[in-house]
Amino acid sequence: MKTAHDLVTAAKSRIQEISVTEAEQAIQQADILIDLREPDEYAAGHLQGAVNIPRGLLEFKMSGSPELSARNLDIVVYCKTSGRAALAANTLHEMGYLKVKSIAGGFDAWVQNGNNIVTLALPAFE
C-alpha cells in the first residue's frame, strides 16, 4: 500500500521542480501562478499575483475555465512545502498541460529565502 509520501516522491520524479531562486524568473514569465493551499492559508500570506485554486478543486477549475484551457499555458504551482504542488503538477501533465513548474519547498521555502508575500487585509468592523 502506497503512502502519501510515496505518491509525492513518485510525482516529483515526473515533474519539473524549480528552486526558489529559479521561481522568481519563472513567475515573471508565467501565464498563471497557482497557490494550491486552502483559502485560509492563502489569506494568511501568498506570493504576489497568485491565484488560489485549492488542490482539491484544481482539475475541476482547470477543466471548467475557458481561460485556462490552453494546454501551452506557462503554469507555476506551489503549496506549503511542495507535496501538494508535486501531485498537482503531475496531474496537470496528465491533463495535457505542457509547461508546468512546481516550486521546491513551496511557500515555506519562499518565505525562508526572504522573499515578499502578500496578505489579505480584512475589513475593520468598528
Side-chain angles (χ1 to χ4, degrees), residues 25-34 73-76 101:
Q25 182 176 0
I27 289 167
Q28 290 175 356
Q29 296 172 343
D31 295 310
I32 186 168
L33 171 62
I34 302 174
L73 287 174
D74 197 338
I75 302 170
V76 176
K101 297 175 183 81

Side-chain angles (χ1 to χ4, degrees), residues 4 8 11 23 31 59 66 71 76 91 98 110 122-123:
V8 169
D31 295 310
E59 295 88 336
R71 295 311 196 245
V76 176
T91 297
L98 304 171
W110 182 267
L122 297 176

Side-chain angles (χ1 to χ4, degrees), residues 67-98:
E67 66 275 13
L68 300 175
S69 65
R71 295 311 196 245
N72 64 342
L73 287 174
D74 197 338
I75 302 170
V76 176
V77 296
Y78 72 92
C79 63
K80 180 172 172 47
T81 61
S82 74
R84 287 176 280 184
L87 295 171
N90 188 58
T91 297
L92 290 169
H93 280 294
E94 289 178 0
M95 292 176 73
Y97 290 93
L98 304 171

Side-chain angles (χ1 to χ4, degrees), residues 14-116:
R14 294 187 293 267
I15 65 166
Q16 182 180 3
E17 195 169 45
I18 57 175
S19 70
V20 170
T21 306
E22 295 169 307
E24 293 176 42
Q25 182 176 0
I27 289 167
Q28 290 175 356
Q29 296 172 343
D31 295 310
I32 186 168
L33 171 62
I34 302 174
D35 183 324
L36 296 156
R37 300 173 304 149
E38 294 300 313
D40 60 325
E41 293 175 288
Y42 178 83
H46 57 273
L47 280 59
Q48 178 71 42
V51 174
N52 184 221
I53 305 176
R55 173 65 191 99
L57 300 176
L58 181 67
E59 295 88 336
F60 302 103
K61 275 286 201 191
M62 298 301 284
S63 295
S65 302
E67 66 275 13
L68 300 175
S69 65
R71 295 311 196 245
N72 64 342
L73 287 174
D74 197 338
I75 302 170
V76 176
V77 296
Y78 72 92
C79 63
K80 180 172 172 47
T81 61
S82 74
R84 287 176 280 184
L87 295 171
N90 188 58
T91 297
L92 290 169
H93 280 294
E94 289 178 0
M95 292 176 73
Y97 290 93
L98 304 171
K99 299 189 289 184
V100 181
K101 297 175 183 81
S102 174
I103 300 175
F107 181 79
D108 288 355
W110 182 267
V111 170
Q112 288 171 358
N113 198 50
N115 293 312
N116 292 327

